[in-house]
Amino acid sequence: MSVAVQTQSDERLAKPGLWDRLVVRPEIGALLGALAVFVFFSVVAGQFLSPLGVANWLDDASTLGIMAVAVAMLMIGGEFDLSAGVMTASTALVTAIFATQVGLNVWFALLLSLVFALGVGAVNGWLVMRTGLPSFIVTLGTFLALQGLNLGVTRLITGTVQVSGMRSADGYESAGMLFASTINVGGTDFQVSILWWVLFAAVAAWVLVRTRFGNWTFAVGGSALSSRAVGVPVVRTKITLFMTTAFAAWIVGSINILRNASVQANQGIGLEFQYIIAAVIGGCLLTGGFGSAVGAAIGALIFGMARQGIVYAQWNSDWFMLFLGIMLLAAVLVNNTFRRRAERVRR
Amino acid sequence: MSVAVQTQSDERLAKPGLWDRLVVRPEIGALLGALAVFVFFSVVAGQFLSPLGVANWLDDASTLGIMAVAVAMLMIGGEFDLSAGVMTASTALVTAIFATQVGLNVWFALLLSLVFALGVGAVNGWLVMRTGLPSFIVTLGTFLALQGLNLGVTRLITGTVQVSGMRSADGYESAGMLFASTINVGGTDFQVSILWWVLFAAVAAWVLVRTRFGNWTFAVGGSALSSRAVGVPVVRTKITLFMTTAFAAWIVGSINILRNASVQANQGIGLEFQYIIAAVIGGCLLTGGFGSAVGAAIGALIFGMARQGIVYAQWNSDWFMLFLGIMLLAAVLVNNTFRRRAERVRR
Amino acid sequence: MIEVREIGKTYGSVIALADVSTVVNPGEVTCVLGDNGAGKSTLIKILAGVHQHDKGQFLLDGNEVRFSSPREALDSGIATVYQDLAVVPLMSVWRNFYLGSEPTVGWGPLRRLDRRKGRETTKTALAEMGIDLRDVEQPVGTLSGGERQCVAIARAVHFGAKVLILDEPTAALGVKQAGVVLRYVAQARDRGLGVVLITHNPHHAYPVGDRFLLLKRGRSLGSYEKGDITIEELTRQMAGGAELEALEHELRAVQK
Amino acid sequence: MIEVREIGKTYGSVIALADVSTVVNPGEVTCVLGDNGAGKSTLIKILAGVHQHDKGQFLLDGNEVRFSSPREALDSGIATVYQDLAVVPLMSVWRNFYLGSEPTVGWGPLRRLDRRKGRETTKTALAEMGIDLRDVEQPVGTLSGGERQCVAIARAVHFGAKVLILDEPTAALGVKQAGVVLRYVAQARDRGLGVVLITHNPHHAYPVGDRFLLLKRGRSLGSYEKGDITIEELTRQMAGGAELEALEHELRAVQK
Amino acid sequence: ACSGPQGDKPAAGGGAAPTPNSGGGSLRVAVVTHGTSGDAFWNVVKNGAEAAGKQLGAQVDYKADGDPGAQAKLIDNAIAQKVDGLVVSMANPDALKTSIQNAVKAGIPVITINSGEAKSAEFGALTHVGQSETIAGEGAGERLKDAGKTKLLCVIHEAGNIGQNQRCDGAKSAFGNVTTLQVDINNPTDAQSRIKGAVQADPSVDAVLALNSQVAAGAVTAIKGAGSKAQVATFDLNTDVVTAIKAGDVLFAVDQQQYEQGYLPIVFLKLYKDNANTVGGGRPVLTGPGFVDKSNVDTIAPFAEKGTR
Ligand SMILES: Nc1ncnc2c1ncn2[C@@H]1O[C@H](COP(=O)(O)OP(=O)(O)OP(=O)(O)O)[C@@H](O)[C@H]1O
Ligand SMILES: Nc1ncnc2c1ncn2[C@@H]1O[C@H](COP(=O)(O)OP(=O)(O)OP(=O)(O)O)[C@@H](O)[C@H]1O
Ligand SMILES: [Mg+2]
Ligand SMILES: [Mg+2]
């Protein structure tokens, strides 16, 4: 971003400083956190830096990252989506059931599950806007309902708690090319999901900062009442954001089902928090109105590196959660120290 | 509450109406919701109204209710505690390890775990106030860390994932009297935890509405900055609230360990949301500054009745979560319709 | 241009406004005056589409309308400065300035904000009001109360096409800034806009107003043309008549 | 009683206040006047303990102090009305009134709020200001801007023991209420309190002020005793001197 | 310091492609399962694997994730670490296919445990150790039927957990009249209340099958409280269950001997690496469901306490 305002020297400004201007970006904390985690595990864990290792943690970060970016946009818009985690399983289940049980072409099954996802997103948004209830509660309701549907429908149709057999469905190969192929770079296979992640983050960042819709997103999250008063279509903006999250869940669900060729009914539960954590590490405020898509993508990267790094370092898995908790607190603290300076907002 | 203000007839007031005045209480929505759920299951499920059935769902509601009340106070104070669920397991584990592995008297083990609980609560509060990070994130960190500690320490000490054998520890019986006995009313055994729940809710309600500390709780949740500006000790109030939540977790942990005589390391995970849901059903605002302890207790009752009612109605438990989700949404909607009128706040 | 007839509004059991009628003509300033809680903000929120009236009629250019959102009011050329300002504290000054009416360049999916134009127009518009900001990229939340007020006013003046509504625009302003705002009001009027001005300061209202609507406890105390009333009488009416005399007497005593 | 010497404060890289000195004596009103963003609120926030100064000295009764919280300032008898009011919108009027200084009855663990006293005192204190509320149990968030302001002022007046600080107390008030507030200021002064009054209205400042501190862009333009300055000169100074003349001229032209 | 010669093509059966790359030296094995070590059952597996590692001087890393995709990533991770052996539980063979085949391609010997027996050889694993949960469930169902029970309540404590569903399905196929009940293991009060409610609502239930020892203890209390005459059977042991078996409150406990599922693969991998041995010619090694009842509880109780049964 090239800032075109000429720096007039104002006697009320102490010292502008390049550092201060850099530090103003919401992503900077996350970036430094990512660097710290990267260096730490590069030193501690041998294989962390090997091409295979990098491909591994990038892959882990990618599906998390796609969701984190969407959730970050929603959070900037002042709302939560607790159903985002199960949604990744629901979309995969819908695709899998249509492809394997009904026997549709995979592409067609994907289309149906996309419609389903957008529908759920719209319902979430509509309920939140219509009832005026906090999205935390409404999406908790859809979270529970989807969780129940996932299990109930799967058991009803298949008699077990998983749907498998995608590999023999029509169109599996071509759809797999799009969502689940690998790209060979220098002898190592990288998952295509990494590309999706980068693409999604780039588009989201552009939309947020450069477009009118992005402006509205910040506005409705910062103050919905004020936005409405100056003519921002608050309801439309928020519903679109919920649908964006559902759309991201569809992408991730499709990546999962096409890569794993099977899906379990209880998948995705609890992931919604990882998305929120990644978004917050990336600089989003829980209260809305502030944050960055790139930051959320970096937050997911920190998460992926830490999660796989702990494995590379061969620490005892009993303590895994403890490490993760401490890592999270540390990352957020580093992050916050920087953001404090950035957010020169009256408190 | 007897309102001592004489109703001067003001031409700017349309019609006072008893109904309108009743409906102003934050608990009213929850109360009506509870009534609806009660009537529904009384009709649908045969055994729901039997003395045993009542004892059963009251018991289920009780441990949830104790926590919900504490969490409601914290939420009114504007903060979250995601570590509240695992804390119930941590306190039980600490008690059990000291009683069975170290061989201390149960009373002494209980005391040590109380100290531990208050310590964790204080750390939570201190971190939140000190760093200025949202409590959602900080307690998510402690949630993960405690989860790791529970598993790691338990496995380290016992080699298994549960601590059992409380029954043979010194002082088990007398401590059990306090936390895990049953009271026979008309031939049916009611758990003493129900008394704890009622007691806890009553004290909390009194503190919130009638004492200075309660006033401060509402104030720091409603606007921490304004409260500070008029001289409310914001930091002290919030830390006390975190410690209250930890204290409630200690009570529930003690009830659990003394009743079940064993505790599993991964217990309590995910319950924090049930507490929050109960508090919200009971009329607490997620944003703080508004709510009621009695409401949260009733919210827990709704939860307990719905959860056990589904079992009594013998619905297929595959769909359990779906029912729960729909029930939650319905209860909150009913609730909200009433609160809308109550909260005559400028929006 | 705008006419309201016996309009009324209740919040739950609170009757905030009842049977108020007035008219806003192009090239005229209608001042709404009254005590605290008299219902002034409620009246203009109805005009701005934030709330809907429960009773009476709201005519725009002779047609009865009922705005369901401020967007519709804006689209009809009614721009408003709210008492509580309606700014988004975390957003930058220029983004707040253009919020809801963003300038864009490009086509189709590549349509994007014209940020250069946004920044420059904002800077110019504010500078004209005598506010020189360090940086239009700084969040509005870091501005002082008066600076924030100026941003809101500059925005409304910039986008007001037919009617400009100002709810206590001068309350938080310094003497100089208040003067500038009054000049703006006069300029807007001269450009042929209808202006609705709410203020507690008769010294601000009298010089620019053409019509004075007096509210008290949600009801109209009467509507006066400028010719029909003197500034002293206006002040007396605003303060609730006779009561003021005692007070003035007391204050004078206080001045030693 | 209070003296500040060459006090300074920066927010990050923003210098909000630099080298400002003044004194608040018992039984006197010190008016702080100045443009928007001049640093007035910053100055009083330092006096009230909300912020801490970075430079200079802050003397209370001759001893250097540095309040780390508003509680300390309150305990030293300094009560403040903030520009952003510092009320908790969701809490009832009387609870807001007493917030931080709740009256209690009973002993030990049974010590509880004296709610009857709280309600009645609040009702009386507000009624004395000419605000008659429907119900002191209603949330402050449902009051109009001016009503809220009155609650904050009534509170400060009630609890101010030695010094009363008012940041633009009359900004949102009607003519009558503003008059009442000025009378309060005069009464507090006569009771021997030191008062700090911030306002943009020279007509409000001049009658009650004993000393006028003029700020501009964070620096002091000088401090005047009442005898040393006329209201015209004061207005001129507040508006930034010469610039005003052009404006007045213009406005007069505008009045047709 | 016995660095044996590089055996390039062992005469091993089962179509195992990977070659034991070096004799001696320290062995590093990654155990990747779908059950976290917080789960009582998998805790024993972990203890078995670690015990074998200690005894054989091998380094054992136990990692687990219930999400098949995440489990696949953990396998990829192990491949990147170039471990010397991989032990995988295949609750969801489809999802792990690519990762396991990659491991085999990378020359890492793979042994599957617990579930996924049918696909084990196809994916190129050396052998399979264990027995599917379905068979264990069938065993339990049969024994309950033999005990003359007519209606069984199978308590699933983690909704959507594939292993638990297989156990209940197994019990159903052997027993017949089975209803399942979902409870939340994380909330013991709720679990107990729900079991109580279920037996109260349907008095014809005369047997309860718990899939976890703590649920079993809760079920015993619940049944007493509800005044039902149903009897409890369970998977896994703990002190409470041992006491309850002695007291006759719990009919029997299914013991899958999952300790062996952790222990044996490490031994096999060690043998394979040092000596290119395979066991049973690639045929699965069955650990078999054992049953603990009044007759043998005294022998087994001390091991349960140590976390090895
Ligand atoms: N959302 C609301 N809910 C309930 N009552 C309200 C609401 N908004 C305003 N009121 C009440 O309606 C009355 C009129 O309020 P309004 O804000 O219109 O007054 P005002 O004339 O603008 O006063 P001020 O000069 O103080 O701004 C007040 O008594 C206020 O308490
Ligand atoms: N928290 C803050 N962070 C950064 N800058 C601030 C902060 N608070 C105030 N400022 C800046 O300091 C300067 C002085 O602000 P202050 O609020 O003291 O002005 P003021 O004289 O009270 O103005 P007004 O008359 O408009 O209320 C302003 O330029 C403002 O932008
Ligand atoms: Mg108003
Ligand atoms: Mg100010």
PDB file of all heavy atoms in Angstrom, chain B residues 56 155 159-162 164 264 266 268-269 312 314, chain E residues 37 43 47 182 186 189 193 200 202 214 238-239:
ATOM      1  N   ASN B  56     -33.542 -37.005  38.939  1.00  0.00           N
ATOM      2  CA  ASN B  56     -32.541 -37.228  37.917  1.00  0.00           C
ATOM      3  C   ASN B  56     -32.202 -35.965  37.154  1.00  0.00           C
ATOM      4  O   ASN B  56     -31.046 -35.558  37.032  1.00  0.00           O
ATOM      5  CB  ASN B  56     -33.065 -38.311  36.974  1.00  0.00           C
ATOM      6  CG  ASN B  56     -31.965 -38.933  36.167  1.00  0.00           C
ATOM      7  OD1 ASN B  56     -30.796 -38.750  36.483  1.00  0.00           O
ATOM      8  ND2 ASN B  56     -32.319 -39.671  35.144  1.00  0.00           N
ATOM      9  N   ARG B 155      -0.954 -39.251  33.608  1.00  0.00           N
ATOM     10  CA  ARG B 155      -0.209 -40.367  33.040  1.00  0.00           C
ATOM     11  C   ARG B 155       1.143 -40.522  33.716  1.00  0.00           C
ATOM     12  O   ARG B 155       1.628 -41.626  33.940  1.00  0.00           O
ATOM     13  CB  ARG B 155      -0.025 -40.178  31.536  1.00  0.00           C
ATOM     14  CG  ARG B 155      -1.190 -40.749  30.730  1.00  0.00           C
ATOM     15  CD  ARG B 155      -0.898 -40.723  29.247  1.00  0.00           C
ATOM     16  NE  ARG B 155       0.370 -41.342  28.928  1.00  0.00           N
ATOM     17  CZ  ARG B 155       0.518 -42.618  28.596  1.00  0.00           C
ATOM     18  NH1 ARG B 155      -0.520 -43.396  28.497  1.00  0.00           N
ATOM     19  NH2 ARG B 155       1.717 -43.102  28.334  1.00  0.00           N
ATOM     20  N   GLY B 159       0.258 -43.731  35.297  1.00  0.00           N
ATOM     21  CA  GLY B 159       0.437 -44.623  34.163  1.00  0.00           C
ATOM     22  C   GLY B 159      -0.860 -44.892  33.411  1.00  0.00           C
ATOM     23  O   GLY B 159      -0.856 -45.498  32.356  1.00  0.00           O
ATOM     24  N   THR B 160      -1.955 -44.425  33.935  1.00  0.00           N
ATOM     25  CA  THR B 160      -3.222 -44.582  33.227  1.00  0.00           C
ATOM     26  C   THR B 160      -3.814 -43.193  33.020  1.00  0.00           C
ATOM     27  O   THR B 160      -3.194 -42.191  33.358  1.00  0.00           O
ATOM     28  CB  THR B 160      -4.231 -45.420  34.034  1.00  0.00           C
ATOM     29  OG1 THR B 160      -4.694 -44.630  35.121  1.00  0.00           O
ATOM     30  CG2 THR B 160      -3.584 -46.673  34.577  1.00  0.00           C
ATOM     31  N   VAL B 161      -5.019 -43.145  32.461  1.00  0.00           N
ATOM     32  CA  VAL B 161      -5.612 -41.838  32.223  1.00  0.00           C
ATOM     33  C   VAL B 161      -6.699 -41.534  33.224  1.00  0.00           C
ATOM     34  O   VAL B 161      -7.512 -40.650  33.016  1.00  0.00           O
ATOM     35  CB  VAL B 161      -6.176 -41.723  30.805  1.00  0.00           C
ATOM     36  CG1 VAL B 161      -5.052 -41.708  29.814  1.00  0.00           C
ATOM     37  CG2 VAL B 161      -7.138 -42.846  30.522  1.00  0.00           C
ATOM     38  N   GLN B 162      -6.743 -42.290  34.292  1.00  0.00           N
ATOM     39  CA  GLN B 162      -7.701 -41.908  35.315  1.00  0.00           C
ATOM     40  C   GLN B 162      -7.132 -42.167  36.692  1.00  0.00           C
ATOM     41  O   GLN B 162      -6.231 -42.990  36.861  1.00  0.00           O
ATOM     42  CB  GLN B 162      -9.031 -42.622  35.107  1.00  0.00           C
ATOM     43  CG  GLN B 162      -8.915 -44.117  35.068  1.00  0.00           C
ATOM     44  CD  GLN B 162     -10.224 -44.738  34.619  1.00  0.00           C
ATOM     45  OE1 GLN B 162     -11.098 -44.038  34.106  1.00  0.00           O
ATOM     46  NE2 GLN B 162     -10.367 -46.021  34.807  1.00  0.00           N
ATOM     47  N   SER B 164      -8.245 -43.353  40.331  1.00  0.00           N
ATOM     48  CA  SER B 164      -9.386 -43.928  41.044  1.00  0.00           C
ATOM     49  C   SER B 164      -8.938 -44.422  42.415  1.00  0.00           C
ATOM     50  O   SER B 164      -7.776 -44.275  42.786  1.00  0.00           O
ATOM     51  CB  SER B 164     -10.012 -45.057  40.223  1.00  0.00           C
ATOM     52  OG  SER B 164      -9.025 -45.913  39.725  1.00  0.00           O
ATOM     53  N   GLN B 264     -11.426 -38.984  35.240  1.00  0.00           N
ATOM     54  CA  GLN B 264     -10.695 -39.238  34.014  1.00  0.00           C
ATOM     55  C   GLN B 264     -10.017 -37.957  33.559  1.00  0.00           C
ATOM     56  O   GLN B 264     -10.569 -36.874  33.718  1.00  0.00           O
ATOM     57  CB  GLN B 264     -11.691 -39.721  32.961  1.00  0.00           C
ATOM     58  CG  GLN B 264     -11.052 -40.285  31.750  1.00  0.00           C
ATOM     59  CD  GLN B 264     -11.858 -41.442  31.177  1.00  0.00           C
ATOM     60  OE1 GLN B 264     -12.621 -42.092  31.892  1.00  0.00           O
ATOM     61  NE2 GLN B 264     -11.672 -41.702  29.914  1.00  0.00           N
ATOM     62  N   ASN B 266      -9.466 -36.553  30.745  1.00  0.00           N
ATOM     63  CA  ASN B 266     -10.012 -35.662  29.709  1.00  0.00           C
ATOM     64  C   ASN B 266     -11.433 -35.222  30.026  1.00  0.00           C
ATOM     65  O   ASN B 266     -12.164 -34.771  29.160  1.00  0.00           O
ATOM     66  CB  ASN B 266      -9.949 -36.321  28.336  1.00  0.00           C
ATOM     67  CG  ASN B 266     -10.698 -37.635  28.310  1.00  0.00           C
ATOM     68  OD1 ASN B 266     -11.207 -38.078  29.344  1.00  0.00           O
ATOM     69  ND2 ASN B 266     -10.760 -38.252  27.156  1.00  0.00           N
ATOM     70  N   GLY B 268     -14.502 -32.940  31.412  1.00  0.00           N
ATOM     71  CA  GLY B 268     -14.769 -31.503  31.484  1.00  0.00           C
ATOM     72  C   GLY B 268     -14.567 -30.734  30.195  1.00  0.00           C
ATOM     73  O   GLY B 268     -15.014 -29.601  30.079  1.00  0.00           O
ATOM     74  N   ILE B 269     -13.903 -31.340  29.210  1.00  0.00           N
ATOM     75  CA  ILE B 269     -13.634 -30.604  27.980  1.00  0.00           C
ATOM     76  C   ILE B 269     -14.939 -30.360  27.235  1.00  0.00           C
ATOM     77  O   ILE B 269     -15.720 -31.275  27.041  1.00  0.00           O
ATOM     78  CB  ILE B 269     -12.662 -31.397  27.089  1.00  0.00           C
ATOM     79  CG1 ILE B 269     -11.327 -31.551  27.810  1.00  0.00           C
ATOM     80  CG2 ILE B 269     -12.463 -30.709  25.753  1.00  0.00           C
ATOM     81  CD1 ILE B 269     -10.419 -32.555  27.169  1.00  0.00           C
ATOM     82  N   TYR B 312     -35.753 -39.585  28.308  1.00  0.00           N
ATOM     83  CA  TYR B 312     -37.016 -40.151  28.785  1.00  0.00           C
ATOM     84  C   TYR B 312     -37.996 -40.353  27.641  1.00  0.00           C
ATOM     85  O   TYR B 312     -38.792 -41.276  27.641  1.00  0.00           O
ATOM     86  CB  TYR B 312     -37.632 -39.241  29.853  1.00  0.00           C
ATOM     87  CG  TYR B 312     -36.999 -39.435  31.202  1.00  0.00           C
ATOM     88  CD1 TYR B 312     -36.130 -38.499  31.720  1.00  0.00           C
ATOM     89  CD2 TYR B 312     -37.249 -40.584  31.940  1.00  0.00           C
ATOM     90  CE1 TYR B 312     -35.527 -38.674  32.949  1.00  0.00           C
ATOM     91  CE2 TYR B 312     -36.646 -40.778  33.156  1.00  0.00           C
ATOM     92  CZ  TYR B 312     -35.785 -39.831  33.667  1.00  0.00           C
ATOM     93  OH  TYR B 312     -35.196 -40.031  34.862  1.00  0.00           O
ATOM     94  N   GLN B 314     -37.243 -41.246  24.893  1.00  0.00           N
ATOM     95  CA  GLN B 314     -36.685 -42.350  24.099  1.00  0.00           C
ATOM     96  C   GLN B 314     -36.518 -42.000  22.632  1.00  0.00           C
ATOM     97  O   GLN B 314     -36.747 -42.821  21.755  1.00  0.00           O
ATOM     98  CB  GLN B 314     -37.567 -43.595  24.251  1.00  0.00           C
ATOM     99  CG  GLN B 314     -37.525 -44.123  25.665  1.00  0.00           C
ATOM    100  CD  GLN B 314     -38.341 -45.388  25.811  1.00  0.00           C
ATOM    101  OE1 GLN B 314     -39.547 -45.373  25.691  1.00  0.00           O
ATOM    102  NE2 GLN B 314     -37.668 -46.478  26.081  1.00  0.00           N
TER     103      GLN B 314
ATOM    104  N   SER E  37      -4.146 -40.533  23.644  1.00  0.00           N
ATOM    105  CA  SER E  37      -3.746 -41.280  24.825  1.00  0.00           C
ATOM    106  C   SER E  37      -4.612 -40.889  26.025  1.00  0.00           C
ATOM    107  O   SER E  37      -4.507 -41.476  27.089  1.00  0.00           O
ATOM    108  CB  SER E  37      -2.273 -41.074  25.120  1.00  0.00           C
ATOM    109  OG  SER E  37      -1.960 -39.702  25.066  1.00  0.00           O
ATOM    110  N   ASN E  43      -4.636 -45.549  25.889  1.00  0.00           N
ATOM    111  CA  ASN E  43      -3.597 -45.354  26.886  1.00  0.00           C
ATOM    112  C   ASN E  43      -2.825 -46.648  27.101  1.00  0.00           C
ATOM    113  O   ASN E  43      -1.596 -46.645  27.213  1.00  0.00           O
ATOM    114  CB  ASN E  43      -4.253 -44.880  28.187  1.00  0.00           C
ATOM    115  CG  ASN E  43      -3.286 -44.837  29.329  1.00  0.00           C
ATOM    116  OD1 ASN E  43      -2.256 -44.184  29.241  1.00  0.00           O
ATOM    117  ND2 ASN E  43      -3.595 -45.556  30.391  1.00  0.00           N
ATOM    118  N   ASN E  47       1.033 -47.445  26.441  1.00  0.00           N
ATOM    119  CA  ASN E  47       1.915 -48.031  27.449  1.00  0.00           C
ATOM    120  C   ASN E  47       2.633 -49.264  26.910  1.00  0.00           C
ATOM    121  O   ASN E  47       3.817 -49.470  27.181  1.00  0.00           O
ATOM    122  CB  ASN E  47       1.106 -48.397  28.698  1.00  0.00           C
ATOM    123  CG  ASN E  47       0.769 -47.167  29.517  1.00  0.00           C
ATOM    124  OD1 ASN E  47       1.367 -46.111  29.327  1.00  0.00           O
ATOM    125  ND2 ASN E  47      -0.198 -47.298  30.419  1.00  0.00           N
ATOM    126  N   GLN E 182     -26.286 -42.250  23.442  1.00  0.00           N
ATOM    127  CA  GLN E 182     -25.108 -41.380  23.427  1.00  0.00           C
ATOM    128  C   GLN E 182     -25.021 -40.652  24.756  1.00  0.00           C
ATOM    129  O   GLN E 182     -25.985 -40.057  25.198  1.00  0.00           O
ATOM    130  CB  GLN E 182     -25.229 -40.314  22.333  1.00  0.00           C
ATOM    131  CG  GLN E 182     -25.719 -40.815  21.012  1.00  0.00           C
ATOM    132  CD  GLN E 182     -24.602 -41.095  20.055  1.00  0.00           C
ATOM    133  OE1 GLN E 182     -23.435 -41.021  20.423  1.00  0.00           O
ATOM    134  NE2 GLN E 182     -24.946 -41.435  18.831  1.00  0.00           N
ATOM    135  N   ASN E 186     -17.231 -36.527  28.966  1.00  0.00           N
ATOM    136  CA  ASN E 186     -16.598 -35.414  29.655  1.00  0.00           C
ATOM    137  C   ASN E 186     -17.422 -34.898  30.830  1.00  0.00           C
ATOM    138  O   ASN E 186     -16.957 -34.085  31.605  1.00  0.00           O
ATOM    139  CB  ASN E 186     -16.359 -34.253  28.680  1.00  0.00           C
ATOM    140  CG  ASN E 186     -15.356 -34.640  27.629  1.00  0.00           C
ATOM    141  OD1 ASN E 186     -14.536 -35.528  27.864  1.00  0.00           O
ATOM    142  ND2 ASN E 186     -15.407 -34.005  26.488  1.00  0.00           N
ATOM    143  N   THR E 189     -21.614 -36.555  35.530  1.00  0.00           N
ATOM    144  CA  THR E 189     -22.964 -36.426  36.095  1.00  0.00           C
ATOM    145  C   THR E 189     -24.003 -36.693  35.019  1.00  0.00           C
ATOM    146  O   THR E 189     -24.965 -37.425  35.213  1.00  0.00           O
ATOM    147  CB  THR E 189     -23.192 -35.000  36.612  1.00  0.00           C
ATOM    148  OG1 THR E 189     -22.018 -34.556  37.259  1.00  0.00           O
ATOM    149  CG2 THR E 189     -24.356 -34.948  37.563  1.00  0.00           C
ATOM    150  N   SER E 193     -26.727 -39.656  34.707  1.00  0.00           N
ATOM    151  CA  SER E 193     -28.156 -39.329  34.666  1.00  0.00           C
ATOM    152  C   SER E 193     -28.817 -39.905  33.436  1.00  0.00           C
ATOM    153  O   SER E 193     -29.945 -40.393  33.497  1.00  0.00           O
ATOM    154  CB  SER E 193     -28.348 -37.811  34.673  1.00  0.00           C
ATOM    155  OG  SER E 193     -27.794 -37.253  35.810  1.00  0.00           O
ATOM    156  N   GLN E 200     -34.749 -46.293  33.180  1.00  0.00           N
ATOM    157  CA  GLN E 200     -36.031 -46.003  33.812  1.00  0.00           C
ATOM    158  C   GLN E 200     -37.138 -45.924  32.770  1.00  0.00           C
ATOM    159  O   GLN E 200     -38.235 -46.427  32.980  1.00  0.00           O
ATOM    160  CB  GLN E 200     -35.901 -44.660  34.530  1.00  0.00           C
ATOM    161  CG  GLN E 200     -36.717 -44.543  35.787  1.00  0.00           C
ATOM    162  CD  GLN E 200     -36.674 -43.120  36.283  1.00  0.00           C
ATOM    163  OE1 GLN E 200     -35.662 -42.432  36.152  1.00  0.00           O
ATOM    164  NE2 GLN E 200     -37.768 -42.662  36.845  1.00  0.00           N
ATOM    165  N   ASP E 202     -37.206 -47.320  29.856  1.00  0.00           N
ATOM    166  CA  ASP E 202     -37.465 -48.606  29.209  1.00  0.00           C
ATOM    167  C   ASP E 202     -37.108 -49.731  30.174  1.00  0.00           C
ATOM    168  O   ASP E 202     -35.990 -50.231  30.176  1.00  0.00           O
ATOM    169  CB  ASP E 202     -36.630 -48.710  27.925  1.00  0.00           C
ATOM    170  CG  ASP E 202     -36.936 -49.982  27.166  1.00  0.00           C
ATOM    171  OD1 ASP E 202     -37.778 -50.781  27.645  1.00  0.00           O
ATOM    172  OD2 ASP E 202     -36.335 -50.183  26.095  1.00  0.00           O
ATOM    173  N   GLN E 214     -15.027 -45.955  33.240  1.00  0.00           N
ATOM    174  CA  GLN E 214     -15.666 -44.970  34.089  1.00  0.00           C
ATOM    175  C   GLN E 214     -17.171 -44.903  33.832  1.00  0.00           C
ATOM    176  O   GLN E 214     -17.959 -44.742  34.761  1.00  0.00           O
ATOM    177  CB  GLN E 214     -15.055 -43.588  33.864  1.00  0.00           C
ATOM    178  CG  GLN E 214     -15.275 -42.726  35.084  1.00  0.00           C
ATOM    179  CD  GLN E 214     -14.943 -41.278  34.835  1.00  0.00           C
ATOM    180  OE1 GLN E 214     -14.639 -40.884  33.727  1.00  0.00           O
ATOM    181  NE2 GLN E 214     -15.000 -40.496  35.883  1.00  0.00           N
ATOM    182  N   ASN E 238     -10.781 -50.683  35.403  1.00  0.00           N
ATOM    183  CA  ASN E 238     -10.086 -49.830  36.350  1.00  0.00           C
ATOM    184  C   ASN E 238     -10.415 -50.352  37.737  1.00  0.00           C
ATOM    185  O   ASN E 238     -11.142 -51.346  37.875  1.00  0.00           O
ATOM    186  CB  ASN E 238     -10.448 -48.348  36.166  1.00  0.00           C
ATOM    187  CG  ASN E 238     -11.856 -48.024  36.615  1.00  0.00           C
ATOM    188  OD1 ASN E 238     -12.587 -48.876  37.102  1.00  0.00           O
ATOM    189  ND2 ASN E 238     -12.241 -46.784  36.447  1.00  0.00           N
ATOM    190  N   THR E 239      -9.889 -49.747  38.763  1.00  0.00           N
ATOM    191  CA  THR E 239     -10.078 -50.285  40.115  1.00  0.00           C
ATOM    192  C   THR E 239     -11.550 -50.415  40.460  1.00  0.00           C
ATOM    193  O   THR E 239     -11.960 -51.395  41.082  1.00  0.00           O
ATOM    194  CB  THR E 239      -9.407 -49.377  41.158  1.00  0.00           C
ATOM    195  OG1 THR E 239      -8.921 -48.228  40.489  1.00  0.00           O
ATOM    196  CG2 THR E 239      -8.284 -50.097  41.835  1.00  0.00           C
TER     197      THR E 239
END
